[in-house]
Amino acid sequence: MQTFLTKTSVKKVVLLDYLLEKDDWSTIKELQKKLKVTDKSILHYIEELTELFQNYDGIHLLNDENKRFRVKKEEDFPIYTIYLYFYKASYNYQLIDFMYRQPEKSLKDFAEEQFTSISTVFRYAKLLTPYFQRYQIGFQPYKLHLNAKEQEIRCFYYYFYWNSTRENRDSWPFDTELSRIEKYIKDFENVYHLSLEPLQQRIFSYWLAIILERSNVASVTIDTHTQAVIDRDPHFLQLKKWQRESALRLAVNEVYFLYQIIYSFGIIDGNARYENSYAIAHQEMLTCSYRAVENLAVALKQNFHFELAVTDPELLFNFIAFHERSRLFYGNTDLFFNRSYRKEVQAEKPKNYSLVESLHDTLKQQADPDLASVLENWEQLFLNYYFILDYYDLFLSKYPPLKVLIQDDLHHTHRLWLMNKINAYFGHSYTFAFYDYKTKVSEVDLVVSNYYFNTGETPLVLMKNIPTERNWRQFGELVYHLTNQKEFETKVV
């Protein structure tokens, strides 16, 4: 946070955080004590937030005669857009933007443009040194120079502009005319005989602008092995055809790089012909990303006794693509908030976290040196592997099933129907083992019945013959509680 915010902006963000967390009225004295500022400063911050919120639907600041304040927002309101307002107003956001737009200039030039002293902007610029280090990018504050491979620098700028402007469709952060970019994309669709989704078009437009603008500053270098893999894909010829027909003037290495971007960032997703061709090229050349998929298959069999369908071209494409993307940029792609999904999962689902980390250990043990270096980018890869385990229900396979006794006074088909409904509604999150009236109540975790009877210490959920929403809600709450309790007991043991 300190990287992009002034001390005053930090206080405004802290004020907003406090009002959001409390979700109730806060007095001006309470806020003054929290922020350690005067009443006048609090009212100034409140006024700025009120004006800011007027630009958005779904969030409001309630003011009770300058004595009490409360923030009300809709549940799905993207609150980070508010934070970005303060981030984008900071010296360091503007400094990075300045570096991208005017790469030949220095900190002195930036200070002059800001009508301030070099010492002032340097005080903020030096905060960027550790910031860039977490992406394995060197930074020279006075020269405003980044030391890294050009691919990595471009990826940084892509995530920088994508994360800060993607929500605003009217915001185009590049100097290249959007209409020119849109024409290139239309030509691409015609050559490839496809229609890109709006999100794919927007991602493609950002990358085309960055490649066109950065290629005038520095060239990318594509190694011969990567070139050989791309050349092996027969559809690479279509990319060259599109380049020629659209008069897109790019050096040879830039075309190879553009191919990597198109497939790694989901621009071509949903088109099996191109996906399969890409996957086969990687498979035939035994690329590092393909070996990562093979390594994953071995690890899943070892840790979960699960056979990954590595012969499925669609699976191969998707798994190769996210490994290729991780090779282009190191670290967390959330450049502004540095949100760590590892830490979130560790806090909210510690057992799932432990299973993913255990998989990571297995992957590293079996990896060759090149693949081991890819797996070091775990902060970025973690979420992909988490999704894989979740998609194939492999987390559930490691949880002991919740024992549920279905006991009612109806016929057997009703009990089968109820078991099926429970699995349909909750089976994606929990594992159940069902029992009938022959089982003792004391031997199960939960009893479901359409009539009351004494179940002792075993919880009972009463359900109507056709369960109501309230019945399902009560069942879900109890299953959640019991599952957490069992997990806690397992950890204690």
Side-chain angles (χ1 to χ4, degrees):
M1 183 184 291
Q2 294 286 356
T3 304
F4 285 98
L5 297 180
T6 63
K7 290 182 179 179
T8 302
S9 293
V10 167
K11 290 187 180 297
K12 295 171 187 174
V13 170
V14 170
L15 169 63
L16 176 57
D17 280 342
Y18 184 79
L19 292 172
L20 286 168
E21 284 292 324
K22 188 169 183 182
D23 194 22
D24 201 350
W25 290 98
S26 298
T27 66
I28 192 167
K29 293 298 180 185
E30 182 183 347
L31 298 176
Q32 181 187 4
K33 183 177 180 181
K34 174 69 179 177
L35 272 66
K36 296 180 175 57
V37 296
T38 64
D39 290 1
K40 185 177 180 181
S41 293
I42 294 293
L43 292 176
H44 176 70
Y45 300 160
I46 291 292
E47 181 182 2
E48 184 174 346
L49 287 175
T50 301
E51 292 178 1
L52 176 60
F53 290 176
Q54 289 174 356
N55 299 317
Y56 301 91
D57 295 324
I59 187 166
H60 307 279
L61 201 157
L62 308 181
N63 185 339
D64 181 16
E65 298 181 345
N66 284 344
K67 295 178 181 178
R68 298 189 308 158
F69 311 95
R70 181 176 185 177
V71 170
K72 296 284 287 184
K73 76 174 185 69
E74 295 178 2
E75 188 175 349
D76 60 350
F77 179 80
I79 193 62
Y80 63 86
T81 58
I82 302 297
Y83 295 127
L84 279 174
Y85 166 81
F86 295 106
Y87 279 48
K88 291 169 74 172
S90 69
Y91 272 130
N92 279 345
Y93 182 94
Q94 295 175 47
L95 178 59
I96 293 173
D97 184 56
F98 180 84
M99 288 165 56
Y100 176 81
R101 297 181 190 285
Q102 304 186 66
E104 76 285 356
K105 295 194 173 182
S106 67
L107 192 70
K108 178 176 178 292
D109 299 310
F110 178 69
E112 290 176 356
E113 190 172 282
Q114 295 291 318
F115 301 103
T116 189
S117 65
I118 295 179
S119 60
T120 298
V121 293
F122 179 72
R123 199 162 57 244
Y124 290 100
K126 67 182 181 181
L127 296 174
L128 289 175
T129 300
Y131 170 77
F132 280 114
Q133 281 176 349
R134 72 186 188 209
Y135 308 114
Q136 296 187 349
I137 296 175
F139 175 58
Q140 299 177 37
Y142 279 113
K143 291 184 178 180
L144 297 185
H145 181 71
L146 298 179
N147 297 319
K149 293 179 180 178
E150 177 60 17
Q151 290 94 318
E152 296 167 351
I153 293 174
R154 293 185 188 185
C155 281
F156 172 83
Y157 282 126
Y158 167 78
Y159 289 121
F160 177 79
Y161 287 115
W162 180 258
N163 289 334
S164 60
T165 63
R166 67 183 176 196
E167 293 297 324
N168 187 351
R169 292 287 172 179
D170 297 325
S171 176
W172 176 247
F174 304 104
D175 293 332
T176 305
E177 290 291 332
L178 179 57
S179 58
R180 178 186 171 194
I181 298 295
E182 289 173 337
K183 184 182 182 305
Y184 287 139
I185 294 175
K186 195 65 181 174
D187 292 341
F188 178 87
E189 291 177 319
N190 291 335
V191 170
Y192 275 77
H193 304 292
L194 52 75
S195 179
L196 299 178
E197 297 293 329
L199 178 61
Q200 293 172 316
Q201 291 178 351
R202 190 155 174 85
I203 293 171
F204 200 7
S205 67
Y206 274 52
W207 268 115
L208 279 176
I210 289 171
I211 289 172
L212 287 170
E213 293 173 2
R214 283 293 300 183
S215 61
N216 294 323
V217 178
S219 300
V220 292
T221 301
I222 307 297
D223 63 78
T224 54
H225 177 72
T226 300
Q227 289 185 18
V229 174
I230 297 172
D231 287 334
R232 200 172 189 87
D233 181 355
H235 293 299
F236 182 48
L237 295 175
Q238 283 178 265
L239 191 67
K240 293 180 177 179
K241 179 183 177 183
W242 164 63
Q243 182 205 2
R244 290 193 306 272
E245 293 186 359
S246 62
L248 184 62
R249 294 185 177 85
L250 290 174
V252 173
N253 275 345
E254 296 290 350
V255 180
Y256 282 114
F257 178 66
L258 183 54
Y259 173 94
Q260 289 183 297
I261 294 302
I262 288 171
Y263 285 90
S264 299
F265 280 81
I267 294 166
I268 207 77
D269 279 12
N271 295 277
R273 176 175 46 166
Y274 303 119
E275 292 178 349
N276 295 354
S277 180
Y278 171 89
I280 290 170
H282 278 265
Q283 184 178 29
E284 291 177 345
M285 296 294 290
L286 294 175
T287 65
C288 187
S289 294
Y290 172 74
R291 298 200 307 277
V293 182
E294 287 190 317
N295 191 39
L296 172 61
V298 174
L300 289 178
K301 188 170 185 178
Q302 179 175 326
N303 286 28
F304 297 91
H305 308 291
F306 177 77
E307 294 282 350
L308 186 67
V310 292
T311 56
D312 179 356
E314 183 181 357
L315 180 149
L316 270 183
F317 166 74
N318 286 301
F319 288 14
I320 289 171
F322 80 70
H323 283 100
E324 284 291 287
R325 186 167 62 249
S326 75
R327 298 181 68 198
L328 292 171
F329 183 76
Y330 180 86
N332 191 341
T333 59
D334 184 1
L335 302 190
F336 296 102
F337 306 110
N338 198 28
R339 182 180 181 184
S340 173
Y341 291 103
R342 287 181 71 191
K343 291 179 180 177
E344 288 185 16
V345 173
Q346 185 177 21
E348 296 173 10
K349 297 185 176 181
K351 185 166 183 177
N352 288 6
Y353 170 82
S354 177
L355 290 170
V356 182
E357 292 297 322
S358 177
L359 177 66
H360 186 213
D361 291 337
T362 304
L363 291 167
K364 289 190 295 183
Q365 290 167 8
Q366 300 167 166
D368 58 61
D370 287 343
L371 181 51
S373 66
V374 172
L375 293 170
E376 288 301 313
N377 196 3
W378 190 236
E379 190 66 42
Q380 187 179 142
L381 287 170
F382 176 89
L383 197 58
N384 292 290
Y385 282 98
Y386 179 90
F387 287 150
I388 290 170
L389 297 187
D390 196 36
Y391 178 79
Y392 291 112
D393 292 330
L394 298 180
F395 289 127
L396 295 181
S397 70
K398 293 293 185 177
Y399 284 82
L402 203 64
K403 300 175 182 178
V404 181
L405 170 61
I406 306 291
Q407 183 158 324
D408 56 33
D409 56 3
L410 298 177
H411 42 75
H412 181 61
T413 53
H414 178 268
R415 289 192 288 275
L416 291 176
W417 173 82
L418 188 56
M419 293 176 195
N420 183 62
K421 281 294 182 184
I422 290 173
N423 268 326
Y425 289 154
F426 302 96
H428 64 288
S429 300
Y430 306 100
T431 304
F432 298 102
F434 295 105
Y435 300 84
D436 60 18
Y437 61 92
K438 296 177 183 179
T439 305
K440 293 180 181 179
V441 169
S442 58
E443 296 176 356
V444 299
D445 301 305
L446 175 64
V447 178
V448 177
S449 178
N450 66 344
Y451 65 90
Y452 175 81
F453 67 100
N454 186 0
T455 58
E457 295 183 359
T458 303
L460 169 67
V461 174
L462 288 173
M463 280 197 175
K464 293 184 177 182
N465 294 342
I466 302 296
T468 64
E469 288 189 13
R470 185 170 181 270
N471 291 153
W472 289 124
R473 188 166 58 250
Q474 289 175 332
F475 179 86
E477 290 171 354
L478 190 52
V479 167
Y480 176 80
H481 171 74
L482 289 171
T483 302
N484 286 346
Q485 184 179 1
K486 286 171 74 74
E487 185 174 339
F488 175 75
E489 290 170 355
T490 302
K491 286 167 61 179
V492 170
V493 172

